[in-house]
């Protein structure tokens, strides 16, 4: 049933069982719909209504489901593995996929050790025998773990906990993991082995703790099983598909492998012998020397509570505009870094949108789109404290979103997940520069956006030799901004020195700085029913954004885009001009007729209407 939340709240679909505490977190701010037992076709039908989808392991989130979820912003997997989510499709659509990589690691490690001991001492069969009225002590003689060698494939978080417990039981532990830290392994008294082929012959017990990826799918098959010690035992509490189940069945039946303990399978739920008597998986599960459990690695009350709370908190954060802590398809941003970046994310997005709307607004919509596409080379320059942060992926994503949102349908769906992909598809190149020197301004951080566009109108009619000696003209559009009191401010628009908050409907008039201009513009707007909320004048305090550079060697000049040099190699204040910008906050977008009236009747050189 839907939760009693304001209908305007984002809707969240929960098609599987989730812990009560996790659901309470969602219901505190979102409209939660619990709809268990949805078929694949049912999910396709209902997903367009939802902004978030919270699942466990049963729901298959295919490319078709993601494409149908037009409002979908996040898919949250209450657990570790995301094999049931099409990550590539989600990334292309800008849908964040989150999981809870550490919420159930303790439970998975404990279940591995439980299966290890159950298999070594034949506990499941012995229990069933006794309950069946039999007393078969001699039939269930087991083996001790003390002194035996445990081989671990994948020395991650779960593998390390298993290793430490095994050491406590007196086992020798060796591991194969090409990405493991030797120092971390040594701290757990684990000996790293350089290859799987070296690990297999020395292990009395072998346990797998890797994700299911191309390189691990079927990694233990007939060849690898043959390399293991005769009488050794094998466990899998990681992902179904890492072991070739048919090959394992043959090895157990032959006696080469003395036993196996399996919690995960290629098909879940697996087939039964009654339904599919020829199924290798069904035969493996039914084999007397195989201990099988129905994917219980994370099935403890504590683990279920932990992963549910974790992913539900991330869903709330994402829908509120923050970053997740465990995104599968987005870079990790430390909380303290994101806290610093967040106001600048808003600033850079507005700088990108301001560029697209202001510097292109003198043309028709069709021409505007063409011109915006031609401006595909950008410099994003960070000065001061903001330059100390190395991970600026959110700022890059904000710029791409800002550039495209006013002109492209997909602009609103650009985020940190798919920004690089969208930029590549659109041919947008962004060079990020960090300058840790403090600026000479009153604010601690400054961000400068430089848009470059080389004029090559004559190049097509010139020979290669003539082109190499041609003096090219590069037109730069420059926007500078800073954050004060958590609010973004624009301090420069090309050669004009400004100071305004980029929000709401803005009217930017380019005019000669002469007495009476403000009154004329105000009169024209008043006659057309446009109210002015605020007004700011931006004088021409910088050189124009035009660079001329000879290309006698065919290479051109490397122009420094440092804002102190105006991105032009010309110092501030060296260009005398009577031009200025008039920036007005208005109560609505102006029509083309009002713009023409300002140009023809108000003596304005150009007008741009900007909505931020």
């Amino acid at each position: 049933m839907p939760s009693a939340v304001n209908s305007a709240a984002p809707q969240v679909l929960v098609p599987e069982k989730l812990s009560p505490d996790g659901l309470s977190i969602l219901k505190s701010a979102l409209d939660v719909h619990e709809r268990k037992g949805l078929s694949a076709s049912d999910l396709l039908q209902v997903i367009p209504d939802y902004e978030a989808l919270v699942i466990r392991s049963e729901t298959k989130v295919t490319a078709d489901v993601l494409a149908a979820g037009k409002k979908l912003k996040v898919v949250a997997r209450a657990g570790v593995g995301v094999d049931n989510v099409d990550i590539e499709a989600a990334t292309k659509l800008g849908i964040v996929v989150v999981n809870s990589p550490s919420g159930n690691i303790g439970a998975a490690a404990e279940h591995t050790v439980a299966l290890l001991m159950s298999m070594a001492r034949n506990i499941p069969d012995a229990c069933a025998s006794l309950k069946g009225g039999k007393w078969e002590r001699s039939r269930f003689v087991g083996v001790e773990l003390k002194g035996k060698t445990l081989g671990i494939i994948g020395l991650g978080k779960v593998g390390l906990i298993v290793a430490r417990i095994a050491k406590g039981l007196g086992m020798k532990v060796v591991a194969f993991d090409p990405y493991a830290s030797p120092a971390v392994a040594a701290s757990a008294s684990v000996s790293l082995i350089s290859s799987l082929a070296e690990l297999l012959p020395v292990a009395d017990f072998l346990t797998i703790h890797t994700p299911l990826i191309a390189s691990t799918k079927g990694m233990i098959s007939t060849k690898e099983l043959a390399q293991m010690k005769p009488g050794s035992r094998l466990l899998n509490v990681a992902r179904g598909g890492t072991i070739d189940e048919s090959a394992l069945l043959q090895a157990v039946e032959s006696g080469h492998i003395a036993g196996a303990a399996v919690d995960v399978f290629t098909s879940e739920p697996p087939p039964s012998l009654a339904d599919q008597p020829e199924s290798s998986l069904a035969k493996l599960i039914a084999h007397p020397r195989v201990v099988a459990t129905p994917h219980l690695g994370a099935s403890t009350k504590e683990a279920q509570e932990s992963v549910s709370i974790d992913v539900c908190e991330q869903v709330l954060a994402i829908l509120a505009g923050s970053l997740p802590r465990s995104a599968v398809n987005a870079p990790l941003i430390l909380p303290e870094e994101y806290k610093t970046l967040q106001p600048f994310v808003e600033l850079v997005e507005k700088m990108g949108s301001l560029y697209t709307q202001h510097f292109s607004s003198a043309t028709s919509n069709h021409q505007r789109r063409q011109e915006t596409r031609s401006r595909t080379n950008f410099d994003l320059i960070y000065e001061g404290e903001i330059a100390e942060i190395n991970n600026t992926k959110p700022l890059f994503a904000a710029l791409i979103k800002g550039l495209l949102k006013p002109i492209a349908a997909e602009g609103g769906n650009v985020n940190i997940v798919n920004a690089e992909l969208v930029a590549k598809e659109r041919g947008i190149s962004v060079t990020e520069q960090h300058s840790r020197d403090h600026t000479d301004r009153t604010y601690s951080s400054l961000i400068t956006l430089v848009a470059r566009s080389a004029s090559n109108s004559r190049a097509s009619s010139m020979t290669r030799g003539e082109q190499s000696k041609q003096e090219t003209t590069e037109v730069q559009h420059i926007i500078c901004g800073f954050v004060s009191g958590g609010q973004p401010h624009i301090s420069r628009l090309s050669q004009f020195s400004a100071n305004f908050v980029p929000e709401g409907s803005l009217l930017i008039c380019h005019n000669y700085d002469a007495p009476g201009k403000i009154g004329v513009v105000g009169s024209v707007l008043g006659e057309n029913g446009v109210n002015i909320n605020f007004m700011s004048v931006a004088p021409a305090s910088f050189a124009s954004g035009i660079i001329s550079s000879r290309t006698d060697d065919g290479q051109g000049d490397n122009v420094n885009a440092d804002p102190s040099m105006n991105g032009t190699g010309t110092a501030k204040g060296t260009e005398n001009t009577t031009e200025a910008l008039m920036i007005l906050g208005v109560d609505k977008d102006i029509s083309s007729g009002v713009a023409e009236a300002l140009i023809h009747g108000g003596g304005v050189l150009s007008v741009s209407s900007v909505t931020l």
Side-chain angles (χ1 to χ4, degrees), residues 572-588:
K572 294 180 189 178
T574 61
E575 191 173 272
N576 295 320
T577 180
T578 58
E579 295 179 12
L581 289 184
M582 195 184 307
I583 300 154
L584 304 101
V586 293
D587 62 350
K588 60 184 177 182

Side-chain angles (χ1 to χ4, degrees), residues 400-475:
I400 302 303
K401 181 177 182 178
L403 290 171
L404 295 180
K405 192 173 182 179
I407 60 167
E410 75 269 29
N413 294 324
V414 175
N415 56 28
I416 195 171
V417 174
N418 64 350
E420 290 189 7
L421 181 64
V422 172
K424 184 177 180 180
E425 289 176 346
R426 288 249 170 188
I428 298 173
S429 173
V430 179
T431 301
E432 294 181 277
Q433 302 175 28
H434 294 251
S435 176
R436 291 174 173 80
D437 295 334
H438 285 288
T439 65
D440 58 357
R441 297 166 177 82
T442 57
Y443 27 86
S444 59
S445 297
L446 180 74
I447 296 181
T448 299
L449 175 65
V450 181
R452 303 183 181 276
S453 177
S455 173
N456 59 358
S457 59
R458 292 183 57 200
S460 60
S461 62
M462 298 170 63
T463 66
R464 184 180 298 271
E466 289 172 330
Q467 289 181 30
S468 68
K469 295 181 180 180
Q470 169 67 12
E471 182 178 276
T472 61
T473 300
E474 183 178 312
V475 180

Side-chain angles (χ1 to χ4, degrees), residues 522-534:
S523 297
V524 172
L525 294 178
E527 291 169 0
N528 288 274
V530 178
N531 293 316
I532 300 174
N533 299 323
F534 74 86

Side-chain angles (χ1 to χ4, degrees), residues 73-77 79-80 82 87 91 94-101 310-311 314-315 318 322-333 415-417:
K73 292 182 174 66
V74 55
V75 174
R77 162 73 163 96
V80 179
V82 288
I87 302 298
T91 301
I95 299 170
V96 183
V97 180
V98 300
N99 66 349
S100 181
D310 185 12
V311 298
Q314 292 188 75
V315 167
I318 292 167
S322 298
L323 289 178
R325 53 179 169 263
S326 300
V328 176
N329 58 345
L332 174 66
I333 307 293
N415 56 28
I416 195 171
V417 174

